């Protein structure tokens, strides 16, 4: 019979002795010149989706409205860009990152005669959580095409997970509203359910465990923020950025439709570039383009490619 692949020097030396009629035998040291790898060549098994800007709340309004109001109570007026910049992270970290911006610290000093402290962050987050919960239902409308797209994937056997910068008490409200509209992920992991949230990979890994999915390259992370993409790449997943419906254009569906075409194209191109520079393997307009991307990823997996 044929010679099987032998992976140790000891086995190689036994092979040499067994076939002593051979005039030459490859030296064991030459095995160091080769590396043998095990590669997954199956299909995508799971998709982990963000919430706001990905499946609900086109333009990601709910956290921005509350953040602006929360800082206003402290006498500090945020710009929309300041409120949106750290989007995707745990909301307490989001508040902390805003207080670390030079522009915000300058405004804070004018009002309070000092820089913001960790105690200020704690106090604002304590106020933020109930304020956020109170408006979530208003901003939990599904993005057009979400229910149909995800239901199709679920019928094909793909498990649907989710991660978020919201805490569990917040995302429970969003999930209940989404379920009434036909979107029901198989797993929900909130930012306060893991040791560290985005851009760390733990929420995705918890999805993988809870959904019994392996290897990690069989999972695709879909998000509209830089930190959400980093979460996916840090976890070892394929990543897909959504440029149109998320944080970087920051407009709802009606506002997008009313936008003059040149301005729309400019904003969309900037969002594509931001997500691509964050390391997304793919960037598309919205969730309805996801099935075609999964087919492309399946073809790459079949060739033995990894994220």
């Amino acid at each position: 019979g044929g010679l099987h692949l032998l992976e140790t020097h000891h086995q190689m030396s036994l092979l040499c002795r067994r076939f002593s009629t051979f005039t030459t035998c490859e030296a064991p040291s030459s095995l160091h010149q080769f590396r043998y790898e095990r590669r997954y060549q199956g299909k995508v098994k799971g998709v982990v989706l963000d919430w706001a800007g990905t499946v609900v709340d086109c333009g990601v309004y709910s956290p921005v409205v509350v953040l602006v109001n929360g800082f206003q109570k402290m006498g500090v007026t945020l710009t929309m860009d300041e409120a949106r910049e750290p989007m995707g992270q745990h909301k307490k970290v989001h508040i902390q990152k805003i207080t670390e911006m030079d522009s915000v610290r300058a405004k804070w000093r004018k009002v309070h005669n000092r820089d913001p402290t960790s105690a200020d962050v704690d106090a604002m987050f304590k106020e933020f959580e109930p304020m956020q919960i109170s408006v979530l239902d208003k901003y939990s409308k599904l993005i057009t095409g979400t229910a149909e797209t995800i239901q199709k994937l679920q019928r094909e056997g793909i498990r649907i997970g989710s991660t978020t910068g919201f805490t569990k008490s917040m995302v429970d409200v969003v999930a209940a509203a989404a379920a009434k509209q036909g979107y029901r992920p198989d797993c929900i992991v909130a930012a306060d359910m893991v040791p560290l949230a985005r851009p760390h990979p733990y929420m995705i890994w918890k999805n993988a465990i809870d959904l019994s999915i392996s290897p990690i390259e069989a999972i695709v992370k879909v998000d509209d923020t830089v930190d959400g993409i980093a979460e996916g790449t840090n976890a070892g997943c394929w990543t897909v950025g959504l440029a149109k419906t998320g944080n970087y254009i920051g407009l709802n569906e009606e506002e997008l439709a009313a936008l003059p075409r040149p301005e729309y194209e400019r904003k969309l191109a900037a969002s594509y570039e931001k997500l691509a520079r964050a390391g997304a393997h793919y960037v598309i307009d919205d969730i309805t383009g996801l099935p075609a991307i999964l087919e492309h990823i399946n073809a790459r997996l079949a060739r033995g490619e990894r994220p």
Side-chain angles (χ1 to χ4, degrees), residues 56-304:
V56 299
D57 189 14
C58 183
V60 196
Y61 272 90
S62 69
V64 173
V65 168
V66 178
L67 287 164
V68 169
N69 289 341
F71 273 84
Q72 192 66 58
K73 286 185 176 183
M74 302 299 292
V76 176
T77 301
L78 293 183
T79 67
M80 294 298 280
D81 286 344
E82 288 167 343
R84 288 184 178 278
E85 182 59 32
M87 193 67 72
Q89 298 193 14
H90 188 301
K91 289 299 171 272
K92 185 174 181 180
V93 176
H94 190 146
I95 293 170
Q96 177 190 331
K97 294 292 185 183
I98 292 175
T99 66
E100 292 172 356
M101 295 177 185
D102 290 341
S103 58
V104 175
R105 294 173 80 82
K107 297 174 193 177
W108 190 282
R109 282 193 295 270
K110 285 184 179 181
V111 177
H112 300 282
N113 297 314
R114 60 173 177 80
D115 287 330
T117 66
S118 59
D120 293 318
V121 173
D122 291 341
M124 282 191 289
F125 180 69
K126 187 176 180 180
E127 293 283 329
F128 173 88
E129 194 160 18
M131 289 170 61
Q132 182 70 88
I133 290 172
S134 71
V135 304
L136 280 171
D137 195 59
K138 177 182 177 182
Y139 292 101
S140 292
K141 180 182 177 182
L142 282 189
I143 294 169
T144 298
T146 295
E148 298 82 358
T149 300
I150 300 308
Q151 288 170 11
K152 176 179 181 293
L153 297 181
Q154 288 175 316
R155 287 194 299 270
E156 293 171 357
I158 294 176
R159 308 300 303 281
I160 304 298
S162 66
T163 68
T164 178
F166 289 139
T167 62
K168 186 177 186 304
S169 60
M170 296 174 195
V171 77
D172 283 348
V173 176
V174 182
K180 294 175 184 177
Q181 301 169 73
Y183 173 63
R184 299 175 180 84
D186 302 301
C187 181
I188 299 172
V189 179
D192 59 346
M193 295 170 65
V194 292
L196 292 168
R198 298 171 183 157
H200 302 280
Y202 305 118
M203 284 195 288
I204 291 179
W205 289 347
K206 180 166 171 53
N207 271 273
I209 292 168
D210 291 350
L211 294 172
S212 299
I213 296 176
S214 70
I216 199 68
E217 54 263 39
I219 293 177
V220 177
K221 175 69 203 303
V222 183
D223 209 292
D224 67 291
T225 66
V226 166
D227 281 298
I229 295 301
E231 174 190 34
T233 55
N234 287 337
C237 299
W238 301 92
T239 55
V240 180
L242 302 186
K244 178 181 175 181
T245 58
N247 186 57
Y248 303 124
I249 292 185
L251 298 174
N252 63 35
E253 293 187 55
E254 292 76 19
E255 291 166 333
L256 284 169
L259 206 62
R261 193 69 187 180
E263 187 176 357
Y264 168 76
E265 295 289 353
R266 179 182 61 79
K267 287 179 177 290
L268 186 64
S271 183
Y272 263 82
E273 182 176 2
K274 193 173 186 74
L275 291 165
R277 286 182 178 274
H281 297 93
Y282 301 87
V283 182
I284 56 178
D285 281 6
D286 57 48
I287 196 74
T288 61
L290 184 60
I293 296 299
L294 298 187
E295 290 182 12
H296 196 268
I297 292 173
N298 282 337
R300 294 178 68 178
L301 286 169
R303 295 194 295 268

